[in-house]
Amino acid sequence: MAHPAASASTRTGASPPQPPASWRQRLGRWDMKASPYAYISPFFILFGLVGLFPLLYTAYVSLHDWDLIGGQGDFVGLDNFTFVLDQPVFWDSLGNTVSIFLLSTVPQIVIALVLASLLHANIRARTFWRMGVLLPYVIAPVAVSLIFSRMFADQSGLVNAVLGHLGVDPIGWHRDSMPAHIVIANMVNFRWTGFNTLVLLAAMQAISRDLYEAAILDSAGRMRQFFSVTVPSVRPTIIFVVITSTIGGLQIFDEPRLYDTQGLGGSSGQWKTITLYLYELGWNQQRLGRAAAVAWLLFLLIIVFALVSNWLSRRIASGDDPVAVPRKARRAARRDASGSAAGTPAFSASSGDTPGSNT
Amino acid sequence: MSRPSVPYIEQTSGRGAARAARRRRGRDHGAARRPGRMTYVVLTVVALISIFPLYYALLLASSTSAEVAQHPIPSLIPGGHLGDNLVRVFESDIDLPRAVWNSVFVSVTTALAVVFLSTLAGFAFAKLRFKGRAGLLAFVVATMAVPTQLGVVPLFIVMRELGLTGSLWAVIIPGLASAFGVFWMTQYLQAALPYELVEAARIDGATTFRIFRSIVLPAARPALAMLGLFTFIGAWTNFFWPSIVLGTTNPTLPVALQLLQTGFFKDIPLIMTGVLVSVVPLLTLFVILGKQLVAGVMQGAIKG
């Protein structure tokens, strides 16, 4: 091995003046051994510093009285948690978060699926439409919030004015909690639907044409192709989209924060979310220990929801294609199964056969 | 098996694959004929919804306060006051030129660093052999599921101990550990970079870093551009963490927008002008590079 290396360096002509072969050889072996670790270490060091350590340290902070200015105080055990759990405002913000999350994630993914399948068809000016769909993604959520908050202003807002012309009474988009949740959820949808559409579309591009040809031979219509070929084929991606939307959606902050000028989630917390409450505890009331407790509670909530949505999306986008079973047959099956077993057999026998499933 | 629940992003690329994909797409895919008019109607509606809020911001930004107060339904043609409002917003108490510069600095630095570090790690994971490779890669993927936002409290404490609060570095550093980036580059390089090329260079006596510089980086260009763009967008639009760690002293654009809203909340044209200032740079970038961005997403098809 000694002289190939030596002659090689003359061939490439780019190495520094030639040191003795054995030294080079040792250097080369060292390079082979150490380089991989050197190349991946920046990520691991950075992640440890700004990801893992803070996450664990949050637990430590949450067990202490911790003032924003004064710093670490006494060890208080679970007091921060009991304090937070005793606050009605925590439960209200939990309800708001879940409500906004459901109003955003569900329609968003349904619409993204439909849009992706439209874009998946052989349309003209493909790139143009795809760009059109992705456009909102480049607009900062803060900007979106400011615009929407104006459009949906209670007085002299665009939407209420239009509704007025149509003879509909103005809606309290900022006054009442459900309308506020709808607007905030739609800000999220505005930003993320197109992004998710493209992700799903990318997955659809990978579906084998043969599947569609077989479906067409079986005289399946467009709807049937969509439910029986497209949706089951992109199942792992649907799960991916659902999980990422869940993790993101439950941490919602930007949109509710900017929805009015106070940024506290409405005059009586109509749209105060958990992250907003966390911010308020930590940086307005300056109780970082309590804020850390909220962070952990939110973390638990995210884990629970991620597991639930994982389970749900596996059921809905099942690879075994329950929709292919004609509705009448399904109804009959359900009639048979009711009383004896829970759940339809078509739904339960599926998972574990596709990349991304880890059951 | 303990496979994480994120699906594989399988890189179906390389020139041949790209050509094949184009051919496939060129043919009819998913349906026997070109779609009907309804498809275009729906897509047009979606495109209009995409663009309308921005257009509405332009309408307000080109009006005077009095006009906005009088007409809740603006005329669909922009007014003539955009210039005045621009001057006013740049002369306001909020240091907007500084915010623009801060955003540019943060986004460019983050994007470049993430691309470099991710490609480096991706190369090691995809093409180098070392002990613990599989386990470490699984760890990287698993970290994608951890909501890093939840560490804000201690992260803030750490940044303050380091004396970095108010500094742009406090915004940049947490953004550098991109698990998605590492995973993305690993997937891409696994498919796009032939192992023989690395071996050949090695036999020619190239050091690992030289291989990285002169073979991996050029080979990774499409994926790298895509990762860079998405990181850039992410950094540019980020609000939560910058608003915590920068406070009001040294804002990036989104933070400045918030200040504009709380400071001038009656002056809607002014706020909307600020919105436009924050949106236009990215929009321009999107118009220029959007095609590649979209193509990039398609290329990195997440296989079903």
Side-chain angles (χ1 to χ4, degrees):
Chain A
M1 277 300 268
H3 34 112
S7 63
S9 60
T10 39
R11 223 185 302 146
T12 48
S15 347
Q18 295 187 6
S22 65
W23 181 78
R24 263 194 66 90
Q25 204 180 347
R26 236 178 303 145
L27 195 72
R29 215 177 301 138
W30 181 83
D31 173 43
M32 290 257 291
K33 267 222 165 89
S35 295
Y37 297 107
Y39 293 177
I40 61 169
S41 56
F43 170 81
F44 284 93
I45 293 169
L46 276 167
F47 177 77
L49 219 65
V50 301
L52 198 60
F53 168 70
L55 206 68
L56 299 175
Y57 199 49
T58 305
Y60 181 77
V61 175
S62 73
L63 299 176
H64 289 79
D65 206 354
W66 206 300
D67 189 79
L68 178 68
I69 314 283
Q72 184 175 1
D74 299 336
F75 175 82
V76 294
L78 294 177
D79 279 8
N80 287 324
F81 288 90
T82 49
F83 171 84
V84 168
L85 291 172
D86 271 348
Q87 302 294 308
V89 56
F90 171 77
W91 296 101
D92 289 345
S93 62
L94 177 72
N96 291 341
T97 306
V98 172
S99 164
I100 293 172
F101 161 71
L102 289 176
L103 285 169
S104 57
T105 309
V106 177
Q108 189 188 122
I109 288 165
V110 172
I111 295 172
L113 254 178
V114 172
L115 271 181
S117 78
L118 287 184
L119 288 169
H120 181 45
N122 189 25
I123 55 169
R124 287 169 212 278
R126 205 174 281 120
T127 310
F128 171 80
W129 298 116
R130 286 175 185 170
M131 278 177 69
V133 163
L134 192 62
L135 174 75
Y137 184 69
V138 305
I139 306 174
V142 169
V144 175
S145 312
L146 291 176
I147 299 172
F148 272 60
S149 143
R150 187 63 221 144
M151 274 165 65
F152 288 89
D154 289 8
Q155 268 102 40
S156 75
L158 176 68
V159 176
N160 273 349
V162 171
L163 287 178
H165 276 284
L166 299 173
V168 181
D169 286 339
I171 294 170
W173 299 110
H174 284 73
R175 192 189 61 226
D176 303 324
S177 59
M178 196 33 94
H181 293 183
I182 291 173
V183 175
I184 291 169
N186 277 317
M187 295 182 203
V188 180
N189 293 340
F190 177 74
R191 178 170 161 80
W192 288 103
T193 305
F195 181 82
N196 286 329
T197 301
L198 278 200
V199 171
L200 287 166
L201 176 60
M204 288 179 189
Q205 303 281 320
I207 302 172
S208 157
R209 251 169 61 81
D210 302 348
L211 281 176
Y212 286 105
E213 273 163 14
I216 291 167
L217 280 180
D218 286 346
S219 71
R222 253 161 215 275
M223 289 301 266
R224 189 64 184 279
Q225 285 176 41
F226 176 72
F227 282 111
S228 304
V229 177
T230 310
V231 172
S233 302
V234 297
R235 193 172 76 122
T237 311
I238 294 179
I239 294 169
F240 174 79
V241 165
V242 170
I243 304 267
T244 49
S245 312
T246 306
I247 294 173
L250 291 172
Q251 299 182 71
I252 184 170
F253 176 81
D254 299 7
E255 290 85 355
R257 169 101 170 127
L258 272 289
Y259 190 45
D260 70 359
T261 50
Q262 270 73 45
L264 296 173
S267 51
S268 53
Q270 299 97 309
W271 62 87
K272 195 194 294 277
T273 60
I274 295 186
T275 314
L276 213 51
Y277 182 50
L278 185 157
Y279 179 85
E280 191 185 318
L281 278 176
W283 284 271
N284 288 355
Q285 302 181 17
Q286 317 201 334
R287 308 298 293 261
L288 286 180
R290 289 173 184 170
V294 172
W296 264 100
L297 291 170
L298 179 57
F299 189 29
L300 292 180
L301 183 78
I302 288 176
I303 290 174
V304 170
F305 267 76
L307 289 176
V308 170
S309 42
N310 184 16
W311 179 82
L312 262 177
S313 50
R314 268 165 212 285
R315 289 295 168 280
I316 291 167
S318 166
D320 268 0
D321 185 18
V323 193
V325 183
R327 200 169 284 158
K328 256 187 219 155
R330 251 189 299 149
R331 241 181 251 140
R334 212 177 300 139
R335 233 179 290 121
D336 291 347
S338 66
S340 58
T344 50
F347 280 106
S348 47
S350 61
S351 50
D353 53 345
T354 22
S357 60
N358 58 351
T359 42
Chain B
M1 290 296 282
S2 65
R3 190 140 30 119
S5 68
V6 182
Y8 282 102
I9 298 179
E10 202 163 288
Q11 187 53 52
T12 51
S13 113
R15 266 201 203 128
R19 219 178 300 129
R22 225 174 295 132
R23 221 180 308 124
R24 225 183 306 130
R25 258 177 271 135
R27 260 189 271 145
D28 213 332
H29 197 192
R33 59 207 140 81
R34 275 191 184 274
R37 206 167 282 166
M38 263 321 281
T39 302
Y40 293 101
V41 173
V42 173
L43 289 177
T44 307
V45 170
V46 170
L48 286 178
I49 293 174
S50 291
I51 198 79
F52 181 76
L54 214 53
Y55 189 68
Y56 180 66
L58 175 67
L59 292 179
L60 293 182
S62 58
S63 312
T64 62
S65 285
E67 283 167 4
V68 170
Q70 272 164 19
H71 312 288
I73 303 182
S75 110
L76 283 177
I77 296 147
H81 300 278
L82 183 60
D84 310 345
N85 287 332
L86 268 173
V87 171
R88 285 199 309 138
V89 79
F90 273 100
E91 283 175 350
S92 70
D93 303 348
I94 314 295
D95 195 346
L96 213 58
R98 170 120 185 220
V100 172
W101 164 247
N102 284 349
S103 275
V104 169
F105 180 75
V106 165
S107 310
V108 169
T109 311
T110 309
L112 287 179
V114 163
V115 163
F116 178 73
L117 295 177
S118 302
T119 314
L120 210 54
F123 167 48
F125 277 125
K127 296 293 157 182
L128 300 178
R129 292 187 185 131
F130 57 97
K131 257 192 206 127
R133 198 189 68 90
L136 289 172
L137 184 60
F139 178 79
V140 170
V141 176
T143 61
M144 277 199 276
V146 178
T148 47
Q149 234 194 45
L150 298 184
V152 281
V153 173
L155 202 55
F156 177 79
I157 295 171
V158 169
M159 288 301 168
R160 200 171 52 181
E161 290 302 310
L162 294 173
L164 282 178
T165 40
S167 147
L168 295 178
W169 292 106
V171 178
I172 293 170
I173 292 167
L176 297 184
S178 167
F180 172 76
V182 172
F183 179 63
W184 173 259
M185 291 315 299
T186 305
Q187 290 288 319
Y188 184 86
L189 289 173
Q190 238 154 27
L193 183 66
Y195 198 80
E196 294 74 36
L197 213 59
V198 178
E199 282 294 87
R202 177 93 66 197
I203 290 166
D204 279 354
T207 60
T208 317
F209 192 72
R210 198 181 146 76
I211 296 174
F212 174 74
R213 232 182 27 195
S214 34
I215 296 177
V216 178
L217 278 184
R221 257 179 69 187
L224 192 143
M226 167 91 176
L227 177 63
L229 253 164
F230 271 117
T231 312
F232 187 91
I233 293 172
W236 187 276
T237 56
N238 196 6
F239 172 66
F240 183 54
W241 176 243
S243 77
I244 285 178
V245 84
L246 291 180
T248 55
T249 47
N250 193 21
T252 54
L253 263 176
V255 180
L257 274 186
Q258 186 220 350
L259 298 177
L260 206 58
Q261 146 135 324
T262 43
F264 301 85
F265 61 90
K266 289 245 165 57
D267 201 335
I268 289 149
L270 201 68
I271 297 168
M272 288 302 150
T273 309
V275 167
L276 286 189
V277 170
S278 83
V279 164
V280 164
L282 262 191
L283 209 63
T284 316
L285 202 67
F286 181 70
V287 170
I288 298 169
L289 298 173
K291 216 172 149 176
Q292 277 88 329
L293 190 71
V294 168
V297 178
M298 293 303 123
Q299 210 183 44
I302 299 172
K303 207 186 158 201

